[in-house]
Amino acid sequence: MKLAGIHHVSAITADADKNHDFFTRILGMRLVKKSVNQDNTSSYHLFYADAVGTPGTDMTYFDIPHAGKTYPGVSSISNTGFRVKSEDALLFWKERFVQFEVPHEKIVERYGRKTLYFEDFEGSRLMLVVDDGKGIPYGEAWIKDEISAENAIVGLGPVKLTVRKSKPTEKVLEEVMGFTLAGSYQSGVEDSPDILVYTTGAGGPAGEVHIETRPDLPMERPGRGSVHHVAFRVPSMEDYPKWEELLRAKGFTTSGLVDRYYFKAIYFREPNGILFELSTDEPGFDTDEPIESLGEKLALPPFLEPRRAQIEAKLRPLSINK
């Protein structure tokens, strides 16, 4: 069994309207699914991805209006990467961030690639990374008037885990999930160990987990802008139940087999407390909506459809423009 890379990253927003504006208008991503948190249907769940919702391209947000401030620390997913095709694209984004007053840093090299750190209006810790296309394939660019296919975001890049002790997390990645240690790079924090780079699938940024060891930091207190979990791609439906069996055999408490309708999932926590998910590539976001109109209406899986009126009555109105 082999994981094929990152499937999605799910985070928290306290303002779904501004969140939608940031990810669609400023970042140029496509809203491919407007749904609800299946575990709390009074909350929206918004999925932003490439043009067709390719697995490995979607950043999702749970809308929790009264979410408090995030206090960064360990046991966290402390950065989410997004792939672009070239250094010229990075320059385009740096100018765009200046135009829209998006907080960002200088373009710097991380693990031999040019990167650009930035944040959204809630402090989500994000990064653009140049992907040369030699690893996991690009997603399909969602072309906007101001954002060309050459400059568009074409998928998720590496995720960074910040932990107090890296060895337990490394062991899970290597011995359970099949990742391999590919290298390391300097953290940029004085007296801190190098950041370790683990890879899976066909490689490249879309298949990487970066591990930062920070024993000097407190435990993260999550809130708006923080990441809830990271999911990894299970490309084979046949392997999906086998992963559940493997995790149980290795002593993990899991969620069991969870049908999210657009994909099937298994949740578990690695030893530092970070929530991992294994998600199938199939059936995909177009299982209940045509590709042409993804994200335009509130989508509910069949097991929630009988409760649509009740669910819609409890959802707060959004000013999301179609």
Side-chain angles (χ1 to χ4, degrees), residues 98-110:
V98 170
Q99 176 187 354
F100 288 100
E101 300 182 337
V102 175
H104 65 281
E105 297 180 356
K106 296 179 180 179
I107 294 174
V108 299
E109 190 170 291
R110 293 178 173 90

Side-chain angles (χ1 to χ4, degrees), residues 300-311:
L300 297 177
F303 52 87
L304 291 179
E305 191 61 47
R307 297 169 50 200
R308 176 176 286 273
Q310 176 187 354
I311 289 170

Side-chain angles (χ1 to χ4, degrees), residues 15-42:
D15 191 325
D17 288 314
K18 288 184 178 179
N19 177 265
H20 175 266
D21 179 73
F22 184 85
F23 277 88
T24 59
R25 183 174 64 90
I26 297 178
L27 292 190
M29 298 177 72
R30 184 182 187 188
L31 180 68
V32 296
K33 193 64 61 179
K34 179 171 67 173
S35 191
V36 295
N37 181 347
Q38 294 178 16
D39 300 318
N40 177 10
T41 58
S42 64

Side-chain angles (χ1 to χ4, degrees), residues 216-234:
D216 57 309
L217 295 179
M219 187 82 71
E220 176 153 308
R221 291 169 55 189
R224 57 186 182 270
S226 66
V227 173
H228 184 267
H229 66 267
V230 57
F232 301 97
R233 291 174 57 195
V234 177

Side-chain angles (χ1 to χ4, degrees), residues 50-278:
D50 70 349
V52 295
T54 304
T57 69
D58 54 307
M59 180 81 181
T60 92
Y61 276 85
F62 298 111
D63 176 39
I64 304 177
H66 301 295
K69 179 182 177 181
T70 294
Y71 293 87
V74 297
S75 296
S76 67
I77 299 166
S78 57
N79 191 271
T80 303
F82 294 88
R83 296 183 286 158
V84 294
K85 296 180 179 179
S86 68
E87 293 183 23
D88 286 343
L90 272 194
L91 294 175
F92 164 84
W93 283 105
K94 186 168 178 60
E95 293 179 2
R96 189 166 177 83
F97 290 163
V98 170
Q99 176 187 354
F100 288 100
E101 300 182 337
V102 175
H104 65 281
E105 297 180 356
K106 296 179 180 179
I107 294 174
V108 299
E109 190 170 291
R110 293 178 173 90
Y111 193 52
R113 306 182 186 109
K114 296 295 185 181
T115 64
L116 176 59
Y117 176 89
F118 68 103
E119 296 180 356
D120 71 358
F121 65 101
E122 293 177 304
S124 287
R125 293 155 286 179
L126 310 169
M127 182 177 71
L128 295 174
V129 57
V130 175
D131 182 352
D132 62 12
K134 295 179 180 178
I136 294 169
Y138 301 135
E140 184 175 327
W142 180 239
I143 300 172
K144 307 279 284 185
D145 290 342
E146 300 175 355
I147 304 172
S148 68
E150 289 72 27
N151 292 328
I153 290 170
V154 287
L156 293 175
V159 293
K160 185 173 74 174
L161 314 181
T162 297
V163 299
R164 187 162 286 137
K165 296 180 179 180
S166 69
K167 289 298 181 184
T169 301
E170 292 178 56
K171 187 175 181 180
V172 170
L173 289 175
E174 289 181 330
E175 299 181 11
V176 180
M177 300 174 68
F179 280 73
T180 57
L181 179 63
S184 64
Y185 60 97
Q186 291 184 339
S187 70
V189 178
E190 188 175 355
D191 298 326
S192 290
D194 287 352
I195 293 175
L196 303 176
V197 177
Y198 278 85
T199 186
T200 191
E208 290 177 0
V209 171
H210 296 191
I211 303 180
E212 177 187 40
T213 303
R214 292 293 304 272
D216 57 309
L217 295 179
M219 187 82 71
E220 176 153 308
R221 291 169 55 189
R224 57 186 182 270
S226 66
V227 173
H228 184 267
H229 66 267
V230 57
F232 301 97
R233 291 174 57 195
V234 177
S236 166
M237 279 291 194
E238 182 181 349
D239 285 345
Y240 170 60
K242 295 178 182 178
W243 278 106
E244 163 71 4
E245 294 171 6
L246 175 63
L247 290 167
R248 296 271 184 179
K250 294 289 187 179
F252 289 93
T253 299
T254 78
S255 62
L257 303 177
V258 180
D259 187 353
R260 295 300 190 194
Y261 188 56
Y262 307 111
F263 50 85
K264 297 182 185 298
I266 305 165
Y267 301 84
F268 70 102
R269 291 193 183 273
E270 56 79 50
N272 275 289
I274 297 171
L275 185 60
F276 283 177
E277 176 183 342
L278 304 184

